Amino acid sequence: MKKSIPLLLGAVVVLAVCQPSQASAKRDPKAGAAGCIDVVHSWNTTAKHGMASFMGVSLERLPALFCQRLYDGIHSGRISYSDINRLQLDQPTEIWMVLKGKPKPAAPTRSQAPRSSNFRNCSGVDGAFQVPISQKCPLSGWAHY
């Protein structure tokens, strides 16, 4: 898989360069995809097998699906130029999740205590809690026990 990183970088660069900009929206986005597909077709057999296995697709579907996922990742903002730099530095990047077709993980949310006119919402070390409206929220996050 390490040997296919330069090939992946080449495909990302082809898509990034060929993607339509805001000023030239008339350009055909399919032109970038065709260039990417040509790059993927030029990969050696080992790289194709490795990437197809990684993505969980057949060799026949690899070029089109690989380029489509890269294209969608770039245009949705999940893949940026900083991801390409991270890839070159062997650092974690979102590119691998995009290529596998995995959705972006949902951001964790903190649950809010339900609103009530007789209580005020306070935050503690283990989450939100309520105290009677006549009291102030305790300064310590442990004080609600």
Side-chain angles (χ1 to χ4, degrees):
M1 185 55 84
K2 291 277 187 194
K3 292 181 181 180
S4 64
I5 289 178
L7 300 173
L8 173 65
L9 284 173
V12 169
V13 169
V14 166
L15 269 180
V17 170
C18 294
Q19 71 180 345
S21 64
Q22 296 289 346
S24 62
K26 296 177 189 174
R27 287 178 34 192
D28 185 16
K30 302 241 186 248
C36 175
I37 290 173
D38 290 340
V39 169
V40 175
H41 278 297
S42 70
W43 289 357
N44 66 31
T45 306
T46 307
K48 287 180 188 176
H49 280 283
M51 190 56 75
S53 173
F54 175 77
M55 292 174 59
V57 299
S58 66
L59 284 174
E60 294 79 30
R61 293 187 60 211
L62 173 69
L65 196 55
F66 176 87
C67 294
Q68 183 64 45
R69 287 180 181 174
L70 272 181
Y71 183 82
D72 291 344
I74 290 170
H75 286 283
S76 69
R78 284 185 69 189
I79 298 175
S80 65
Y81 287 110
S82 63
D83 288 311
I84 297 170
N85 291 335
R86 285 189 207 112
L87 191 64
Q88 291 173 331
L89 298 172
D90 202 23
Q91 294 176 345
T93 177
E94 184 81 9
I95 290 176
W96 304 117
M97 296 300 282
V98 171
L99 288 178
K100 279 193 168 220
K102 302 279 184 183
K104 189 171 187 172
T109 58
R110 289 190 62 142
S111 62
Q112 286 286 341
R115 297 264 179 209
S116 172
S117 60
N118 295 332
F119 294 92
R120 88 175 59 224
N121 292 329
C122 303
S123 60
V125 293
D126 60 346
F129 63 97
Q130 292 182 327
V131 295
I133 200 77
S134 61
Q135 296 178 2
K136 291 183 178 180
C137 289
L139 296 177
S140 167
W142 299 99
H144 66 279
Y145 288 107

